[in-house]
Amino acid sequence: MAPAQEPPQARPETRLAKVAVTALSASSIENYDFFIYGTAAALVFPQLFFPEQTALTSALLSFATFAVGFIARPLGGVLFGHIGDVRGRKTALIGALAGMGLASTLIGLMPAHSVIGVAAPILLVLLRFLQGIAVGGQLGGVVLLAMESAPPRKRGFFSSFAQAGGPGGIILGNLAFIAAIRFTSPAAFEAWGWRVPFLASAVLVWLAIHLQLRLEDTDAFRRLKQVKKPDAERSPVLRAFRVHYKQIALVAAAYIGINVTYYLFMTFAVSYSTNSAILGLSKDTVLLAVLVAAGVQLVLLPVSGAISDRIGRRTMLLAGSGSLCAFSFAFWPLLNTKSTFLILVAFIVGLGLLHTTMYGPQGAFFAEAFTTGLRYSGVSLGVQLGAVIGGAFAPLIATSLYAATGSSVSVAIYMAVVCAITFGAVLLMPETHLKDINEPVAAAEPAGDPAV
């Protein structure tokens, strides 16, 4: 009898391992594509696409194109939220990955301003918009793929593998740019070296799609399809707004601090540190600090998710946002020392430890706030609205604040304020780690507000 019982016990473990690896790889690849744009916007886009402007103005214009990707994210949330709630989590995720790969590859092939003039920044904006649509649909798919497949008391742990795609993508992207800088001359890097990380995304996205095609959709979605009424497929996005409007608003507000601080660490801090008019540090030094901090975050995210399975998601987000609010006033002075060691400490504490505390449980916390039939749409809408309000303009706002004040104190205040917004929103949200996420499947979607 024992041998006959072993396969059923092994299969769930094997499937969960496959889900975790798939969530990590898909999210890493998608974030790689999205984040290499931010790195390029800080390092080379100002002189390539806005060469007729001053250094500060070209940086502002470059970060404005960066913001376009965020403006498009809610559109991606609507599009892929509908697909994900009607056709399946896996189908929507594959479409988002393919769109991102196409946009990134075309950016790598695009001529600069010196070749096609004003058409270059226009094409850059259009391709960044396509990137935004793709990433707007990615988060819901990869989080739900992990969360809905996990055991009830391990949803935070398995969802954290989807979150780990953030630092995973940053590590891949920074390694790609460090290699491009190391193995090319400054002139060659500006001419073609920066294009290599974008062109490489085509291979990575193919790998993610290959993995997705070998994975089944989640049990929660398959159970939903068995009981869903025909009219439920008409517009899950509109129904999500009607049924879960409070959750969508709170998720958006809670995501603002998480998203803004991430892009301040990943994009503005790189520009701030390497800009010859500000700190003028070596590009290698700053990228290495970001790389090490992202590595710490990658390792600690599953730990953060697992802790949230025990003490609650809400507790973790409150602790992380509150601590990072206070640390905002230490991070920028540490950068200003120009000490390699202190800069490393600043990134490890800010990104690797404090941001991870709230970022690890984020996926499960937000997804658990919604019923199964509207979960993809609800999560996507809440997160992408928060991204537009928050991260879309974070580098641009930070650059403008510094330009207006000439001091990093204004940036520190901005960073602290967005963390306080997240703290306040999370205070208004209920704890979810003990919630039965499959309970609403047996009946029609409630007319009220079930998760509050």
Side-chain angles (χ1 to χ4, degrees):
M1 295 298 294
Q5 294 176 350
E6 288 177 1
Q9 293 175 350
R11 276 197 296 271
E13 294 176 2
T14 302
R15 187 183 177 213
L16 283 174
K18 185 185 294 185
V19 165
V21 170
T22 301
L24 176 60
S25 62
S27 183
S28 295
I29 292 164
E30 190 88 349
N31 280 285
Y32 165 87
D33 283 10
F34 200 68
F35 284 126
I36 57 175
Y37 187 101
T39 303
L43 298 180
V44 296
F45 283 177
Q47 55 267 35
L48 286 178
F49 296 101
F50 309 100
E52 299 176 355
Q53 309 298 325
T54 64
L56 187 59
T57 302
S58 62
L60 285 168
L61 290 172
S62 181
F63 284 140
T65 68
F66 178 80
V68 168
F70 286 86
I71 295 172
R73 286 171 69 158
L75 180 58
V78 170
L79 173 63
F80 290 103
H82 178 88
I83 296 172
D85 282 331
V86 173
R87 302 300 177 191
R89 310 340 189 177
K90 189 179 72 170
T91 300
L93 184 55
I94 291 174
L97 289 168
M100 178 64 81
L102 174 62
S104 297
T105 302
L106 290 176
I107 289 174
L109 296 171
M110 194 175 61
H113 185 281
S114 60
V115 178
I116 59 174
V118 72
I122 293 174
L123 287 174
L124 186 66
V125 169
L126 291 175
L127 292 174
R128 180 60 177 173
F129 192 81
L130 180 57
Q131 276 194 326
I133 291 176
V135 82
Q138 174 267 344
L139 179 65
V142 74
V143 167
L144 298 192
L145 196 66
M147 193 272 284
E148 291 183 344
S149 301
R153 297 297 178 262
K154 293 185 178 180
R155 295 196 299 257
F157 173 72
F158 280 97
S159 296
S160 70
F161 284 92
Q163 303 303 113
I170 289 167
I171 290 172
L172 290 173
N174 278 328
L175 284 175
F177 268 97
I178 288 173
I181 292 171
R182 286 284 189 182
F183 295 109
T184 61
S185 65
F189 176 75
E190 185 172 319
W192 58 267
W194 67 270
R195 299 178 183 275
V196 175
F198 286 93
L199 297 176
S201 66
V203 177
L204 293 174
V205 171
W206 174 86
L207 175 62
I209 293 174
H210 176 71
L211 289 172
Q212 295 304 313
L213 291 173
R214 300 183 57 161
L215 199 69
E216 296 179 353
D217 221 316
T218 67
D219 291 337
F221 180 77
R222 290 201 300 270
R223 284 195 295 268
L224 174 69
K225 292 294 289 183
Q226 295 175 359
V227 299
K228 184 183 287 186
K229 296 180 179 180
D231 62 351
E233 298 191 357
R234 290 179 182 175
S235 182
V237 173
L238 293 179
R239 292 173 60 239
F241 269 120
R242 186 179 71 250
V243 175
H244 292 304
Y245 59 93
K246 290 183 182 179
Q247 290 94 324
I248 291 172
L250 288 173
V251 165
Y255 191 61
I256 287 175
I258 300 172
N259 197 234
V260 168
T261 54
Y262 208 70
Y263 284 101
L264 290 179
F265 288 135
M266 294 296 101
T267 303
F268 175 73
V270 174
S271 176
Y272 175 85
S273 302
T274 59
N275 194 314
S276 59
I278 306 177
L279 297 185
L281 298 175
S282 164
K283 294 177 181 178
D284 284 1
T285 299
V286 181
L287 290 179
L288 179 62
V290 172
L291 185 64
V292 172
V296 172
Q297 185 171 57
L298 182 63
V299 172
L300 293 183
L301 275 169
V303 177
S304 175
I307 293 174
S308 78
D309 285 325
R310 292 181 174 272
I311 70 173
R313 330 284 190 219
R314 187 171 177 269
T315 301
M316 295 290 287
L317 267 79
L318 290 174
S321 57
S323 300
L324 193 52
C325 181
F327 186 71
S328 300
F329 296 98
F331 177 78
W332 302 100
L334 286 171
L335 294 190
N336 293 338
T337 65
K338 298 186 181 182
S339 164
T340 301
F341 174 73
L342 292 179
I343 290 172
L344 187 61
V345 169
F347 276 101
I348 289 176
V349 174
L351 175 64
L353 299 178
L354 301 183
H355 191 273
T356 300
T357 302
M358 54 181 177
Y359 190 49
Q362 167 206 295
F365 187 51
F366 292 168
E368 288 164 346
F370 300 95
T371 50
T372 304
L374 305 177
R375 188 169 290 141
Y376 203 125
S377 296
V379 172
S380 297
L381 288 169
V383 167
Q384 303 315 331
L385 287 174
V388 170
I389 299 170
F393 301 101
L396 188 62
I397 290 173
T399 303
S400 301
L401 286 171
Y402 183 83
T405 64
S407 170
S408 61
V409 174
S410 59
V411 182
I413 293 173
Y414 171 50
M415 193 172 183
V417 168
V418 296
C419 289
I421 291 173
T422 290
F423 188 91
V426 173
L427 272 179
L428 297 175
M429 299 175 72
E431 183 53 77
T432 61
H433 74 294
L434 298 178
K435 179 181 177 182
D436 181 2
I437 64 168
N438 293 316
E439 186 176 2
V441 175
E445 296 293 345
D449 201 8
V452 173

